[in-house]
Amino acid sequence: MDLSRQLKIANKTGFMTYGQNQASDACANGDAKLLIFAANCPQTFIDGLRARHPDVPMHRVDLVNRELGAAAAKPFPVSTICVLGEGASELLSLRPNLD
């Protein structure tokens, strides 16, 4: 899967939030369908979310936050993307890869 392309499709046809605070809020509200983390997202943040919301699928990519922001067509670094609605993208087919 071309992650960059799927993120851009989801940007246009779905609904996503960017950043750790928005991801935490979406998980707490039960709206999160998938969390995507940059390679350099703090492990303590990921562990805390996994402990509080074990039912939300989480996927870590090999891109650092600057690269993930660029892949999502954002002019800023992004350490966490929360997919609320995938739209026409195939993002929800990403398998959880955090143990």
Side-chain angles (χ1 to χ4, degrees):
M1 169 191 312
D2 182 2
L3 181 65
S4 180
R5 180 167 190 221
Q6 294 303 316
L7 286 170
K8 288 173 185 163
I9 291 170
N11 244 349
K12 291 181 181 179
T13 63
F15 187 65
M16 301 186 300
T17 62
Y18 304 92
Q20 295 177 2
N21 292 336
Q22 291 83 357
S24 294
D25 292 345
C27 287
N29 293 335
D31 297 333
K33 292 184 179 178
L34 171 70
L35 293 174
I36 301 172
F37 299 107
N40 60 342
C41 185
Q43 189 63 44
T44 54
F45 172 72
I46 296 171
D47 291 342
L49 271 183
R50 285 178 57 209
R52 290 188 310 272
H53 309 286
D55 55 324
V56 177
M58 299 181 188
H59 184 86
R60 178 175 255 166
V61 295
D62 293 332
L63 306 171
V64 296
N65 58 353
R66 285 184 307 240
E67 297 167 332
L68 186 57
K74 296 296 174 190
F76 49 83
V78 175
S79 66
T80 308
I81 296 175
C82 180
V83 179
L84 303 172
E86 72 278 9
S89 75
E90 299 172 0
L91 285 177
L92 294 185
S93 68
L94 284 172
R95 292 182 171 246
N97 65 355
L98 298 174
D99 294 329

